[in-house]
Amino acid sequence: MAGLTPVPGLDGRLALITGGRRGLGLEMARALGAAGARLLINGRDAGPLGEVCASLRATGLDARPAAFDVAGPGAAEAVERLADDHGPIDILINNVGQRDRRGVLQMDQADFERLVRVDLTSAYTMSRVVARRLVDLGRPGSIINVSSVVGGLLGARADVAYTVAKAGLDGLTRTLAAELGPHRIRVNSIAPGPFATETNAPIVADPKITEFVTSRTALGRWGRPEEIGGIVAFLAGDGASYLTGQTIAVDGGLSTTY
């Protein structure tokens, strides 16, 4: 249509999506692949991961498994090997996340530190390895952290470690954006709200929680998992070339509705 500028694609760029085997991570991978990116799908279990990649390839996407634990001691080395085998990683999606719905009076120190290591420290590890190689090559890139409206924008009772980790991801986003901007590496985060993923199926089925979601969100409904992909593909590409250091809520208006 005249007057409209097409959204730039991601043809040939390599994207690593942590926790990409299911849920929002898988939908992000689909969107990046549809825009032309080559996909490295991360997860801990090689068998199921291989099946997911095979199903993506059956739809015409270029998807390969990257089986390793992002919070494990060999994570940095695993990313280095991926870059050696497949080329520099142009797009990093730090999506891995766990949740432990306990508050400060219930959660002990060890469990708190474990969840923060998975949800926050792993993103630092991944970002550092990817960024260093891009800088050494003089190559631009995009890092996208997946935080949450819980912690990133809002507080929550009985969810202390997850809330702290997600708030930390948004702080990491701003700091990395400032530090890596001169190297043409953009860093942003998205803050999903209530999505009807398979992980959330038990609470989606709870009428009281669904009533809360429909009353608190401006759009009056749960998000569909596939609705996360567009913003990720946009942030990864050249259409967002002057956008960095931002946290974008993808929450149906939950964080802006009084």
Side-chain angles (χ1 to χ4, degrees), residues 29-138:
R30 284 196 177 106
L32 292 169
R38 296 178 294 134
L39 306 174
L40 295 172
I41 310 295
N42 163 258
R44 290 180 296 179
D45 300 323
L49 196 61
E51 294 174 3
V52 167
C53 289
S55 69
L56 291 172
R57 288 195 297 274
T59 67
L61 303 184
D62 184 346
R64 306 294 170 187
F68 66 94
D69 183 355
V70 298
E77 291 77 10
V79 178
E80 294 282 11
R81 288 194 296 272
L82 287 173
D84 288 339
D85 293 342
H86 300 280
I89 295 166
D90 303 293
I91 302 161
L92 171 64
I93 313 296
N94 285 312
N95 172 65
V96 159
Q98 295 181 1
R99 199 158 192 173
D100 186 331
R101 296 177 186 272
R102 288 185 287 168
V104 66
L105 301 181
Q106 292 78 40
M107 178 174 279
D108 64 28
Q109 185 81 15
D111 287 344
F112 178 89
E113 291 178 356
R114 176 194 58 78
L115 192 141
V116 170
R117 183 171 64 253
V118 173
D119 287 11
L120 174 58
T121 307
S122 69
Y124 176 78
T125 302
M126 299 293 101
S127 298
R128 184 170 184 268
V129 175
V130 169
R132 286 187 67 173
R133 185 163 292 219
L134 289 174
V135 169
D136 288 345
L137 294 171

Side-chain angles (χ1 to χ4, degrees), residues 8-26:
L10 302 174
D11 291 348
R13 300 183 197 182
L14 183 62
L16 170 61
I17 304 96
T18 70
R21 184 171 68 85
R22 61 180 182 175
L24 298 185
L26 179 56

